[in-house]
Amino acid sequence: MPDVTARPYEFNLDINRAALLIIDMQRDFVEPGGFGEMLGNDVAQLRPSIVPLQALLAKARQAGLFVMHTREGHKPDLSDLHEAKRVRGRGSKTIGDAGPMGRILIIGEPGHDIIPELYPVAGEPVIDKPGKGAFYNTELADIIAEHGIGQLIVCGVTTEVCVHTTVREANDRGIDCLVVSDCTASYFPEFHEAALRMVAAQGGIFGWVADSASVIAALTEPAEPAIS
Ligand code: C5J
């Protein structure tokens, strides 16, 4: 597999050890009436990431890359919701309250679901996470160990919150992360840019950054012929 052109230097993609990890592309973050909008955000800011991510997801599936999805949310009885998270923001509505897409950020409600454009297919694990990081209180570490994964191609929303937290968690577990710049997004474009710069700064302190065209190009190249 050829290297992916990336910052701060090329990423040695090994498709047999890599997985695509799509973070929280849920209606609650991307569509009006959900958790993201409840916090006062302009959800339209996240939409430009959808089309590039659709293309990358299609290529990843075609190339046989292992694909995983995450969803941020909580059990209907809120037993996995810290009071600190529930009250944060002092809004008139909070997690678990009724909204136009059902109870906000609650597993099983329409708003908690992944957007139709990026819906998982059979065989792709969907990891429900109560926190911002995908490792906290989830089965992700077990799935990674079981599949021998050492590289994560990370996409999704939002760049500086759940994507960043997950990349930092993965980095501390010895996993190389490649963050895809146009397949991630933030409600704050300046935070998106800064978050990407933070990943690749200092020689790749948290990992690498590449655009989807570079990742797709690497996935398109035929594998090196085996030496007999
Ligand atoms: C946030 C996330 N921003 N998926 N969640 O609360 O980034």
Side-chain angles (χ1 to χ4, degrees):
M1 181 99 356
D3 293 340
V4 179
T5 305
R7 287 184 272 149
Y9 51 83
E10 72 282 357
F11 183 79
N12 304 133
L13 179 64
D14 177 355
I15 193 169
N16 298 314
R17 296 178 56 242
L20 178 65
L21 180 63
I22 303 178
I23 304 285
D24 301 355
M25 290 303 290
Q26 297 162 252
R27 299 183 64 199
D28 254 322
F29 292 105
V30 176
E31 295 185 7
F35 182 64
E37 194 174 76
M38 183 199 84
L39 296 175
N41 297 305
D42 172 14
V43 294
Q45 294 288 341
L46 304 188
R47 295 210 73 84
S49 64
I50 296 174
V51 169
L53 186 40
Q54 275 182 304
L56 179 57
L57 177 58
K59 175 52 72 179
R61 285 172 176 159
Q62 193 185 38
L65 194 66
F66 188 57
V67 177
M68 299 181 280
H69 307 254
T70 70
R71 299 185 300 199
E72 181 178 342
H74 298 277
K75 295 177 182 168
D77 65 2
L78 306 182
S79 57
D80 58 356
L81 175 62
H82 295 298
E83 184 63 4
K85 183 175 178 184
R86 196 185 69 78
V87 301
R88 188 76 51 81
R90 295 182 171 173
S92 59
K93 282 195 171 201
T94 188
I95 297 168
D97 289 349
M101 293 192 287
R103 292 179 69 201
I104 294 165
L105 223 56
I106 297 298
I107 295 169
E109 299 289 338
H112 176 263
D113 212 353
I114 292 174
I115 58 171
E117 295 93 325
L118 297 167
Y119 215 73
V121 298
E124 296 176 353
V126 178
I127 295 143
D128 283 321
K129 62 187 199 34
K132 303 305 180 192
F135 286 85
Y136 168 67
N137 228 343
T138 74
E139 66 278 27
L140 179 58
D142 292 337
I143 296 174
I144 282 176
E146 189 186 324
H147 289 264
I149 293 164
Q151 300 181 334
L152 290 174
I153 300 171
V154 188
C155 301
V157 295
T158 60
T159 322
E160 79 282 13
V161 183
C162 290
V163 170
H164 234 263
T165 308
T166 299
V167 166
R168 289 169 186 236
E169 287 179 325
N171 186 64
D172 281 349
R173 288 166 171 80
I175 297 163
D176 285 332
C177 290
L178 174 64
V179 180
V180 188
S181 53
D182 52 337
C183 296
T184 50
S186 169
Y187 301 117
F188 307 92
E190 68 276 25
F191 291 175
H192 172 75
E193 288 307 324
L196 294 177
R197 286 181 60 197
M198 283 180 209
V199 169
Q202 304 178 72
I205 195 104
F206 295 126
W208 287 255
V209 176
D211 61 16
S212 57
S214 302
V215 182
I216 288 173
L219 290 172
T220 303
E221 287 289 321
E224 298 277 319
I227 299 164
S228 54

